[in-house]
Amino acid sequence: MKNLSEELLVKPGSTPKLHKIDPSGTHGWGSKTAAAKQFQKNLDLLSVNQYRLYAENRRALLIVLQGIDAGGKDGTVRHVMAGFNPQGASVTSFKVPAGEEKQHDYLWRVHKAVPKFGEIGIFNRSHYEDVLVVRVHNLVPAHVWKKRYDQINNFEQMLHENGVHIVKFFLYIDRDEQKRRFEARIEDSAKNWKFSPADIEERKFWNDYTKAFEEAMEKCSKPWAPWYVIPANKKWFRNLAVSEVLVRTLEDMNLKYPKPAEGLDKLKFE
Ligand code: ADP
């Protein structure tokens, strides 16, 4: 099997060029059926590893999901979460800061949502919004958001050094695919609540978002918190690719069940 983790990794220190990556790419996976089989296997492996993480209770896994609108963050959460026991996993969706969030620094709400030891946390959007939407729409001056890359790196390094393993995914679709998905949302009564006319406005900023994503990944893909670009036009490949990287990440953590209590083998039951 190809090593998708290595192929999709934004190598620390490199500059990702999104126009050189094919959002419909499948990295040698020719058929949806073969991919679906591997995906199911991966879900089983995720489940086993989550149980070890829970039993060990000393480290956590934080999964960051970012993407352009309609990139498939919700779908990825739904599919990948199927591999996890909800007792020990959480999803946090970050919206426009409101209430108390607005009265704190931008990392405050993020730090509060970091998963506990033994658990897995998924961020549907994250602190990266503060160098993406905030940058694209000039919500703070440039000299403020430019400092955030270092701040984010320091924050993530601190988490890693204290047991929180981090993996970050950029779900990459192209403009045509976004258009198709928006149209599908408008037509489907079960989905049109997801569509807002503001989405059309955001589309105009496509190039600015591309630049902002590239810079965020260039500056913040680190050995302790790597970024992966997931070609996401094909949902079946997206699900497979995310699951492959997660399996690899958890296996690299070398999770072990704690040692049993001493004398357990000599216990006798009446
Ligand atoms: P989603 O698109 O994630 O399903 P929404 O439609 O509610 O959910 O969109 C959430 C919105 O919140 C997005 O437009 C996103 O850019 C915005 N957002 C998230 N974090 C921030 C932030 N820190 N500052 C400004 N806007 C943010």
Side-chain angles (χ1 to χ4, degrees):
M1 193 180 56
K2 283 187 180 296
N3 186 344
L4 275 180
S5 276
E6 275 168 33
E7 291 180 13
L8 305 175
L9 173 71
V10 177
K11 295 201 175 47
S14 73
T15 307
K17 288 277 170 243
L18 289 174
H19 70 268
K20 290 197 178 148
I21 298 174
D22 179 5
S24 297
T26 60
H27 290 250
W29 285 86
S31 94
K32 194 171 170 170
T33 326
K37 242 170 131 182
Q38 183 64 33
F39 178 65
Q40 281 310 318
K41 273 194 206 160
N42 287 347
L43 290 188
D44 292 343
L45 290 170
L46 290 180
S47 169
V48 169
N49 277 291
Q50 183 194 11
Y51 197 51
R52 290 196 184 120
L53 181 81
Y54 187 75
E56 186 199 78
N57 201 21
R58 283 193 296 113
R59 291 178 287 172
L61 177 66
L62 171 59
I63 302 165
V64 170
L65 283 182
Q66 288 284 171
I68 210 97
D69 290 333
K73 296 186 298 296
D74 291 347
T76 305
V77 170
R78 206 168 51 245
H79 284 92
V80 171
M81 280 297 279
F84 297 137
N85 179 347
Q87 178 169 315
S90 61
V91 182
T92 310
S93 299
F94 292 96
K95 311 280 183 189
V96 180
E100 257 201 298
E101 294 173 344
K102 279 204 294 200
Q103 294 178 285
H104 287 272
D105 67 274
Y106 69 102
L107 289 173
W108 179 77
R109 63 176 184 164
V110 176
H111 202 168
K112 280 207 306 183
V114 166
K116 296 185 214 171
F117 295 144
E119 301 201 350
I120 294 174
I122 301 184
F123 283 0
N124 184 341
R125 302 187 188 268
S126 65
H127 42 303
Y128 283 92
E129 292 293 323
D130 293 280
V131 288
L132 294 166
V133 66
V134 166
R135 165 184 174 160
V136 169
H137 290 291
N138 303 307
L139 302 182
V140 298
H143 72 88
V144 173
W145 62 255
K146 281 188 178 165
K147 290 206 181 95
R148 291 184 173 169
Y149 302 108
D150 284 344
Q151 292 162 358
I152 289 173
N153 286 334
N154 290 335
F155 171 65
E156 291 181 351
Q157 187 168 18
M158 181 280 292
L159 290 178
H160 179 82
E161 287 170 357
N162 288 281
V164 182
H165 286 243
I166 305 172
V167 59
K168 301 176 294 200
F169 296 105
F170 169 57
L171 306 179
Y172 181 37
I173 59 167
D174 58 30
R175 274 192 110 216
D176 288 345
E177 181 62 22
Q178 189 194 48
K179 182 164 168 267
R180 274 192 291 279
R181 292 186 187 184
F182 280 162
E183 283 166 355
R185 281 183 185 180
I186 291 167
E187 278 160 27
D188 182 347
S189 63
K191 284 190 180 166
N192 56 22
W193 61 273
K194 269 194 168 195
F195 186 80
S196 140
D199 293 338
I200 306 252
E201 280 304 301
E202 278 310 272
R203 239 172 103 72
K204 295 184 187 151
F205 296 93
W206 189 276
N207 292 338
D208 296 332
Y209 273 109
T210 301
K211 232 168 93 188
F213 272 115
E214 285 177 343
E215 192 168 345
M217 290 191 282
E218 176 193 329
K219 297 227 158 92
C220 303
S221 193
K222 298 289 176 191
W224 61 83
W227 269 106
Y228 293 87
V229 177
I230 305 294
N233 275 2
K234 293 191 166 65
K235 293 175 185 172
W236 60 265
F237 180 74
R238 174 201 75 199
N239 294 337
L240 173 72
V242 170
S243 69
E244 286 272 332
V245 174
L246 288 178
V247 167
R248 174 61 67 101
T249 304
L250 282 161
E251 293 198 334
D252 285 350
M253 286 172 74
N254 197 19
L255 295 155
K256 297 268 190 298
Y257 292 115
K259 287 207 168 56
E262 243 173 76
L264 206 62
D265 50 338
K266 296 186 191 77
L267 281 181
K268 294 218 166 33
F269 294 92
E270 295 296 312

